[in-house]
Amino acid sequence: FSIVQRRNLLGRLRALGVRERELTRLVLVEAMILAAAGTLIGTILGYWLGRGLTQIVAATVSEFYYDATADAMTLSWPSIIKAWGLGMAGTLIAAWLPARQAGKTPPLTTLSRADLEKSTRARLPWLAGLGVLLLLLGFTVALAFPGGVSVGFAGLFILLLGAALTTPIMLRLTHRLLSQIRSRGIWQIAIRDLDRHLSRLSTAAAALMIALAASVGVAVMVDSMRGAVSDWLQDLLTADLYIASEGFQDGATLPEMVTEQAPRIEQVGSFSNYRKRTLETNDGRIILVAAQLATQSRQGFHFVATDRNNPWAGFDGGELLISEPLAYRLKLSPGDTLSLPAAGGETRFRIAAVFRDFASEHGRVFIERQHYLRHWRDKRVDTLALFARGASAAELMHAAQDRLSDKYELVFTAAGEIYDESMAVFEQTFRITEVLRLLSVLVAFIGVLSALMALQLERRKEYAILRALGLTRWQISQLIVIESLVLGLLSALLALPTGLAMAWVLTASIQLRAFGWSMPFLVSGSPLLLTLAVGLLSALLASLYPAWRSARHDPAPRLRED
């Protein structure tokens, strides 16, 4: 934008003898000054934003777990150094190519816009080819290369870069397609300008496309996770009533009389009981759950890997069911063995199956209660799950409360309450993503606005000629708005496949690398339709000021320049 503003000045400086190296250095130094100012403002705003996001997280933790405050948030020097490094280095990289172009281009050509557009069109096939290669490379790195979360994000970055490089040729193809539509007047001029100002518009389209793609990717990932967690909870919470100690404190167990009396209540048809404990192993902490599972509880397990038709036979025989995160973290499969510290020392257990589980990213292990008693000699129970027989869930709760609540401090919870509270935790946890999605669209909006303002500066003489030929101020405004809307629509359409590819990488690779769980890839229509609306709205809003400013200029001074 800065170079476009002073393109004539730069050409005159070259004509007056300023050397290419000096001009390049001039542009880079100015960029570094702007970078320093922008990074300073960004650091201050980033600290303010960080406090706001931390308060959101603290509110979630305080509401559902324990009291937490955001007062403890600090801004460390390593964070500041990284922010300044990214701000300065990012600006230097962004300014390098325009600075080189400003310094190396001959004076006459510097003053010519057509030469820049000609060179841009000549590079389109190469950029598109490179973009396709980067798309393939990004998928390969994210999905196939070994490594942690950083490798997945590296592949995602390469993928987005490849999508950005394919945007210019897609803009030109859009121009050719729309130019086939028979039309006259402002529409025809607007479509023609898509190709005449490719270098400026393709940059704006790529910026908006990436921001919208990020929004789509995160939205689809969150929707996929929401659907997977919802299905998992509905399958898992099959009991009509759950009984636990008051407050659900860590290590709190039910009184022995409760574990004996609750299953004998007349309305109870069957029951499951659970005992959870944390084991310290050579592979880190492992949550062990000893369970006596009723048939209904067993139906809530979804196995993602097993080496036999009926893994429950192995479970009843003393083998383990391990969660998917634990299997991923320790590289375990059905048929392998896992060593656990039992009362009699380290004991190796065979793994019967791997089940889908979102309760913990560290992983859980289920063992049949009788075998747990034999190896750990621990008869305590944390939670009881009761299934009604010939009664409703409400009747079962009333009967259990009448029988047990007067003697013991217990918590009686219906499955629906646990589900609703769990999903409320999920929704509040992902409130941060809404803020970050809004920020990404705001950055893209600024990018589109800057590109349109730069284009408006370069086309002032052209607009003056159009005004002299009879176009009204309203028609000039229409021209700019139509160009911007086509740009926004194209960016949104390109963002849809890019965002879905991003969501696939987030779901299939980064989620798996970060937490060890897999989930189905679910796509709903709402984020896609919202992306189209946001793309058009962003482009429309970004076009209003340039359209107003271009329309109100007096054409006479521009026509007198030559």
Side-chain angles (χ1 to χ4, degrees):
F1 186 56
S2 176
I3 292 175
V4 168
Q5 281 183 305
R6 294 170 301 167
R7 181 174 295 277
N8 291 336
L9 174 62
L10 296 177
R12 293 189 184 101
L13 289 175
R14 290 286 288 128
L16 291 173
V18 177
R19 290 178 295 180
E20 140 186 347
R21 183 181 302 176
E22 293 173 331
L23 203 57
T24 301
R25 190 185 306 123
L26 172 66
V27 174
L28 291 177
V29 169
E30 180 182 342
M32 289 298 97
I33 295 173
L34 292 174
T39 305
L40 176 61
I41 298 172
T43 303
I44 297 171
L45 293 178
Y47 179 75
W48 170 76
L49 177 63
R51 289 188 63 87
L53 294 179
T54 304
Q55 288 172 359
I56 294 176
V57 176
T60 302
V61 175
S62 299
E63 183 174 351
F64 296 105
Y65 300 105
Y66 56 86
D67 289 336
T69 63
D71 297 335
M73 195 197 86
T74 58
L75 187 62
S76 62
W77 280 108
S79 297
I80 296 177
I81 293 173
K82 284 191 289 186
W84 276 81
L86 288 171
M88 303 299 287
T91 305
L92 181 63
I93 294 172
W96 177 253
L97 183 60
R100 294 280 292 174
Q101 287 179 341
K104 295 183 67 173
T105 311
L108 180 61
T109 314
T110 303
L111 301 177
S112 171
R113 176 69 193 169
D115 183 77
L116 179 59
E117 295 300 333
K118 182 179 179 181
S119 61
T120 299
R121 295 190 193 96
R123 288 196 298 265
L124 285 185
W126 297 98
L127 289 175
L130 179 60
V132 172
L133 289 177
L134 289 178
L135 285 171
L136 297 176
L137 179 61
F139 275 118
T140 304
V141 171
L143 301 175
F145 275 33
V149 178
S150 58
V151 175
F153 277 116
L156 188 61
F157 176 79
I158 295 172
L159 187 150
L160 288 176
L161 183 60
L165 292 178
T166 60
T167 302
I169 199 167
M170 296 303 299
L171 185 60
R172 192 164 202 206
L173 292 175
T174 301
H175 158 260
R176 292 183 177 179
L177 178 63
L178 294 178
S179 62
Q180 302 300 317
I181 301 176
R182 294 183 178 180
S183 60
R184 294 181 179 179
I186 301 301
W187 171 264
Q188 188 175 12
I189 298 175
I191 299 304
R192 178 203 62 189
D193 288 344
L194 291 178
D195 190 60
R196 293 180 61 243
H197 303 281
L198 198 60
S199 62
R200 294 281 175 256
L201 295 180
S202 60
T203 304
L208 184 57
M209 182 274 295
I210 290 179
L212 295 175
S215 180
V216 171
V218 173
V220 173
M221 183 270 292
V222 172
D223 285 348
S224 297
M225 191 172 182
R226 181 187 293 108
V229 171
S230 177
D231 292 342
W232 170 71
L233 285 172
Q234 290 176 348
D235 292 340
L236 191 66
L237 300 173
T238 54
D240 296 295
L241 179 64
Y242 292 87
I243 302 177
S245 295
E246 178 71 35
F248 298 99
Q249 303 96 333
D250 287 342
T253 58
L254 292 171
E256 186 175 352
M257 293 299 295
V258 172
T259 62
E260 293 178 356
Q261 294 178 19
R264 298 173 183 171
I265 297 175
E266 181 180 356
Q267 289 82 358
V268 175
S270 57
F271 71 95
S272 300
N273 59 43
Y274 305 89
R275 165 64 175 151
K276 184 181 76 172
R277 62 186 299 173
T278 302
L279 304 178
E280 297 290 344
T281 71
N282 295 331
D283 299 313
R285 291 184 178 181
I286 294 179
I287 298 175
L288 178 67
V289 180
Q292 179 181 343
L293 298 174
T295 303
Q296 299 95 319
S297 296
R298 298 190 178 200
Q299 293 173 350
F301 283 76
H302 175 71
F303 296 114
V304 296
T306 180
D307 63 347
R308 62 184 71 183
N309 294 329
N310 183 20
W312 291 112
F315 177 75
D316 293 332
E319 297 179 357
L320 304 178
L321 304 178
I322 68 173
S323 67
E324 189 179 21
L326 183 65
Y328 180 81
R329 180 163 63 90
L330 301 183
K331 303 296 187 290
L332 295 173
S333 302
D336 296 340
T337 59
L338 177 63
S339 181
L340 299 177
E346 290 286 331
T347 305
R348 301 195 71 82
F349 297 88
R350 188 181 185 276
I351 298 172
V354 177
F355 64 93
R356 177 163 291 157
D357 183 54
F358 299 107
S360 170
E361 69 270 22
H362 301 294
R364 299 192 297 170
V365 173
F366 274 71
I367 186 172
E368 204 279 328
R369 179 169 175 78
Q370 294 302 318
H371 296 278
Y372 171 79
L373 294 175
R374 179 161 60 89
H375 289 286
W376 276 270
R377 306 182 184 93
D378 176 16
K379 296 182 179 181
R380 292 174 293 179
V381 172
D382 300 332
T383 307
L384 277 172
L386 306 181
F387 297 87
R389 177 184 60 189
S392 65
E395 292 172 339
L396 175 59
M397 177 175 289
H398 289 315
Q401 288 175 335
D402 292 341
R403 181 80 172 268
L404 304 171
S405 60
D406 292 340
K407 302 178 183 178
Y408 310 101
E409 294 183 350
L410 304 172
V411 176
F412 301 85
T413 312
E417 296 178 16
I418 299 177
Y419 173 84
D420 292 339
E421 186 169 338
S422 300
M423 294 308 297
V425 172
F426 179 92
E427 297 295 345
Q428 190 151 340
T429 301
F430 280 93
R431 282 176 59 193
I432 291 179
T433 62
E434 300 299 325
V435 179
L436 299 180
R437 289 167 60 190
L438 178 62
L439 285 176
S440 67
V441 174
L442 178 61
V443 171
F445 169 79
I446 295 173
V448 174
L449 177 61
S450 299
L452 292 177
M453 288 299 297
L455 197 59
Q456 180 261 333
L457 283 172
E458 291 180 323
R459 299 179 64 186
R460 285 180 295 185
K461 185 175 295 185
E462 178 184 340
Y463 292 148
I465 295 174
L466 291 175
R467 287 288 309 281
L469 292 176
L471 261 68
T472 64
R473 293 185 177 187
W474 170 244
Q475 288 175 319
I476 293 293
S477 299
Q478 278 185 299
L479 176 63
I480 297 174
V481 171
I482 290 174
E483 290 178 4
S484 183
L485 287 176
V486 172
L487 196 70
L489 180 59
L490 174 64
S491 300
L493 292 176
L494 293 178
L496 296 183
T498 305
L500 292 177
M502 180 181 177
W504 185 21
V505 171
L506 287 170
T507 304
S509 175
I510 294 178
Q511 285 275 10
L512 184 63
R513 294 171 189 260
F515 305 109
W517 54 51
S518 63
M519 61 187 66
F521 184 63
L522 304 176
V523 180
S524 62
S526 56
L528 306 184
L529 294 176
L530 182 62
T531 298
L532 293 174
V534 171
L536 289 171
L537 181 61
S538 300
L540 175 63
L541 293 177
S543 68
L544 294 180
Y545 178 69
W548 172 78
R549 184 167 179 174
S550 298
R552 66 188 292 267
H553 280 161
D554 184 6
R558 301 299 172 191
L559 295 175
R560 285 197 296 264
E561 286 185 357
D562 291 338

